[in-house]
Amino acid sequence: AFQNAGYKTAHIGKWHLGGGRDVSDAPLPQAYGFGESWTSFEGLGDRLLIERDGLSKQSAALGRGEIAWAPKHKCTELYLNRSLDFIKRCGSNPFYLHLWPMDVHDPHVPRPDLLEKYQRFASNPYQQKFYAVLDEFDRQIGRLLDFLDENRLSQRTLLVMTGDNGPTAWPRYYKEGFNPPGSTAGYRGRKWSLYEGGIRQPLLVRAPGWIPAGRTNESSVVTAVDLFPTFCSLAGVKTQQNALDGEDMSKAFRGKSHQRRKPVFWQY
């Protein structure tokens, strides 16, 4: 839809929509409208794989794309570098970019200096590593925000940040006597749970000048399938709204309470 409207499109980061590690014949992201892509071990085509990682080795054996290797703690920085390069090459053309990094997905492998920074949490090594990778993630997202500001793109760029599920709760954490890393802000359950701690995620929306800042909407229910029709509505991109699973939640994005018409459900 965005390609047809004249946008340059790219997907950079985790794909996990078929292909990689154990599926060799899945369509590449380009089949879905992305002009270029750079995925992970859970995607095909050009991709960035993790050194000394078994799933990455499985992905490399499948071929189908140019493969680069890096230690896990460098991946978000490299994804950011590729994203900034993509935006620069867009010039005056509008762009649609997926940036889906994996730093906060376990296992957490932080930079040595950032691990040292959180030495005070060493009594729980899982929490210490999590804080360290979260710090790096914040640093890299800061690079993106600074780039948009420095290139006068912030006023006309919609930036949306969310996640896919709550923090993990592997049995090994409890067997070893540690609380699992990450927070659900008090909600019950974690990843793999249908309680709110497993499925409820923060949704941050930024567009200076046309989406009001500093507001919290606690009444509108937005789910992932709503993002596509909402993005299309906000960007003026034509699509068949009545043929989509999601709803246009652009009013909620603009700071107004908006009640959805369709129910939402989760299955695990």
Side-chain angles (χ1 to χ4, degrees):
F2 279 81
Q3 268 192 337
N4 292 338
Y7 281 68
K8 301 292 185 181
T9 59
H11 176 96
I12 297 172
K14 185 174 181 177
W15 179 246
H16 215 172
L17 292 171
R21 61 177 170 176
D22 56 358
V23 179
S24 62
D25 59 351
L28 302 183
Q30 283 73 5
Y32 299 89
F34 293 99
E36 59 186 82
S37 64
W38 206 40
T39 64
S40 68
F41 61 83
E42 288 168 325
L44 295 172
D46 294 347
R47 55 199 186 275
L48 175 64
L49 301 182
I50 301 169
E51 294 175 352
R52 295 185 294 278
D53 173 70
L55 295 176
S56 292
K57 290 180 180 177
Q58 291 182 41
S59 174
L62 300 178
R64 295 194 66 193
E66 183 176 325
I67 295 173
W69 295 88
K72 189 169 190 254
H73 71 267
K74 291 285 292 183
C75 288
T76 297
E77 177 184 354
L78 295 173
Y79 283 142
L80 251 295
N81 292 347
R82 181 66 68 97
S83 297
L84 299 184
D85 177 68
F86 164 73
I87 297 173
K88 290 176 183 177
R89 287 185 284 105
C90 287
S92 60
N93 294 294
F95 63 88
Y96 178 88
L97 168 66
H98 282 175
L99 171 57
W100 292 357
M102 299 188 298
D103 248 10
V104 296
H105 192 300
D106 65 347
H108 302 124
V109 184
R111 286 171 29 188
D113 59 320
L114 290 178
L115 185 65
E116 180 65 25
K117 177 180 177 180
Y118 292 95
Q119 180 64 31
R120 64 188 183 277
F121 298 102
S123 59
N124 184 336
Y126 294 112
Q127 197 77 350
Q128 180 188 9
K129 292 177 182 178
F130 175 76
Y131 287 143
V133 298
L134 186 62
D135 190 315
E136 174 66 6
F137 177 78
D138 284 346
R139 290 166 183 256
Q140 297 303 328
I141 296 302
R143 290 179 58 208
L144 174 62
L145 299 179
D146 290 343
F147 177 86
L148 295 175
D149 289 342
E150 293 164 2
N151 290 273
R152 300 182 180 179
L153 293 171
S154 294
Q155 297 294 324
R156 52 193 180 96
T157 301
L158 171 68
L159 190 144
V160 177
M161 179 184 288
T162 188
D164 55 355
N165 46 245
T168 49
W170 293 108
R172 67 174 179 270
Y173 298 138
Y174 305 100
K175 290 178 180 178
E176 295 174 15
F178 296 113
N179 289 324
S183 170
T184 64
Y187 292 110
R188 182 180 182 181
R190 297 171 74 88
K191 185 177 180 179
W192 308 300
S193 168
L194 294 182
Y195 290 111
E196 285 187 88
I199 60 176
R200 184 169 180 169
Q201 289 292 289
L203 175 65
L204 307 178
V205 181
R206 181 186 112 149
W210 53 287
I211 287 183
R215 295 191 185 181
T216 301
N217 184 330
E218 296 182 343
S219 61
S220 301
V221 177
V222 179
T223 188
V225 293
D226 299 329
L227 295 180
F228 176 55
T230 301
F231 293 164
C232 288
S233 176
L234 290 168
V237 171
K238 293 182 179 179
T239 188
Q240 292 182 318
Q241 295 279 355
N242 59 352
L244 302 175
D245 293 324
E247 295 188 31
D248 175 9
M249 300 297 290
S250 56
K251 289 183 179 179
F253 275 42
R254 289 184 178 276
K256 301 177 181 178
S257 179
H258 180 67
Q259 300 304 313
R260 65 182 310 108
R261 300 183 305 279
K262 301 177 183 179
V264 293
F265 75 96
W266 289 261
Q267 178 182 9
Y268 184 75

